[in-house]
């Protein structure tokens, strides 16, 4: 029985391991002017851009720790600002967004 389990787990390990290259993490060109503006103002401490996947599309969330609005600047993949309740349901977005990735933090090279 132990041999069967060992062969099963070895086979499972062989088939489940894939040789994948990680997706490059880049700041979209349409977002760079906004980040440059933040950096040049000297008030970007605690700011970051996080990329989320929702409905098979990337969304970019720009947030600074000192802002009072947590979802003020959330952008579609093409750079248009999300209109909560019009283009995206905020409750569904919060419940179903996944794969958070930090794309930029204050001080990172653009």
């Amino acid at each position: 029985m132990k041999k069967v389990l060992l062969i099963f787990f070895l086979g499972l390990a062989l088939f489940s391991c894939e040789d994948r290259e990680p997706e490059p993490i880049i700041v979209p060109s349409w977002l760079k002017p906004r980040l440059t503006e933040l950096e040049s103002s000297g008030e970007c401490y605690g700011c970051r851009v996080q990329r989320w996947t929702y409905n098979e599309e990337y969304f970019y969330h720009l947030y600074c720790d000192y802002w009072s609005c947590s979802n003020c600047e959330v952008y579609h993949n093409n750079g248009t600002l999300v209109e909560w309740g019009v283009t995206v349901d905020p409750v569904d977005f919060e419940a179903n967004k996944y794969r958070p990735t930090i794309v930029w933090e204050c001080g990172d090279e653009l």
Side-chain angles (χ1 to χ4, degrees), residues 37-105:
E37 175 188 336
L38 270 174
E39 287 182 333
S40 64
S41 73
E43 297 181 7
C44 79
Y45 181 77
C47 297
R48 69 193 135 305
V49 174
Q50 199 169 28
R51 184 183 72 195
W52 291 89
T53 302
Y54 170 72
N55 282 346
E56 304 306 318
E57 178 187 350
Y58 287 139
F59 285 79
Y60 293 85
H61 180 209
L62 172 60
Y63 181 72
C64 296
D65 292 338
Y66 58 89
W67 289 356
S68 60
C69 177
S70 64
N71 284 327
C72 291
E73 290 193 45
V74 178
Y75 298 91
H76 289 274
N77 194 39
N78 62 6
T80 58
L81 194 61
V82 168
E83 295 178 66
W84 296 111
V86 177
T87 58
V88 177
D89 176 18
V91 174
D92 191 57
F93 181 80
E94 284 301 318
N96 295 304
K97 64 184 183 179
Y98 62 99
R99 283 193 340 194
T101 303
I102 298 288
V103 174
W104 172 87
E105 290 185 283

